[in-house]
Amino acid sequence: MPLTLQPTAELTSIERIQYIVSLIPAGKVLTYGLVADYAGLPGRARLVSKALKQAPSHLNLPWHRVINSQGKISINKQSSTFAVQVELLRLDGVTVNTGKISLSEYLWKPDMATLVLSLPF
């Protein structure tokens, strides 16, 4: 479910990123770069990582649905967070093979008209 935002408030870049991540449906993934692009921040893929790290837990963002442009989980494979992301993706119905996700199968490709009409920015 998308975040609830104040329609009159000017959104920060971080809030825009968090809003886009909140839209990613179960069973789909987006790359850091595409999240930035959809948030109107082309070239700011690294900011996506920062926005996810800063997100308050009460937002319940599906952070696990954001992966790198090669279709891989960016977290170190030895990390417990890597295992959490793999498990959450699998619970979403996404096949993860040694940290890799098939972008051709699982990349979220929203209809642009729908996406544009649903964005508050």
Side-chain angles (χ1 to χ4, degrees), residues 5 10 14-15 19 33 41 43 50 55 102 105 110 114:
L5 301 171
E10 181 71 26
I14 298 292
E15 290 170 325
Y19 187 83
L41 303 162
K50 180 180 178 182
S102 170
E105 187 172 352
T114 303

Side-chain angles (χ1 to χ4, degrees), residues 83-103:
V84 169
Q85 186 169 11
V86 168
E87 181 62 20
L88 289 171
L89 285 167
R90 287 184 175 153
L91 288 171
D92 274 355
V94 174
T95 301
V96 182
N97 186 4
T98 61
K100 182 134 174 60
I101 295 99
S102 170
L103 290 177

Side-chain angles (χ1 to χ4, degrees), residues 24-121:
I24 305 170
K28 295 295 180 184
V29 297
L30 273 183
T31 65
Y32 291 96
L34 285 174
V35 171
D37 288 349
Y38 291 157
L41 303 162
R44 304 291 307 271
R46 289 179 190 246
L47 184 59
V48 174
S49 178
K50 180 180 178 182
L52 292 175
K53 288 175 185 170
Q54 289 182 359
S57 59
H58 74 272
L59 293 181
N60 294 317
L61 291 180
W63 61 271
H64 61 283
R65 297 177 186 151
V66 182
I67 59 174
N68 72 28
S69 62
Q70 298 173 336
K72 296 179 182 176
I73 294 173
S74 292
I75 300 168
N76 183 311
K77 289 184 179 185
Q78 313 317 320
S79 166
S80 62
T81 308
F82 177 90
V84 169
Q85 186 169 11
V86 168
E87 181 62 20
L88 289 171
L89 285 167
R90 287 184 175 153
L91 288 171
D92 274 355
V94 174
T95 301
V96 182
N97 186 4
T98 61
K100 182 134 174 60
I101 295 99
S102 170
L103 290 177
S104 62
E105 187 172 352
Y106 296 106
L107 185 67
W108 182 43
K109 298 174 188 167
D111 172 79
M112 282 310 208
T114 303
L115 184 62
V116 169
L117 293 174
S118 70
L119 297 178
F121 48 87

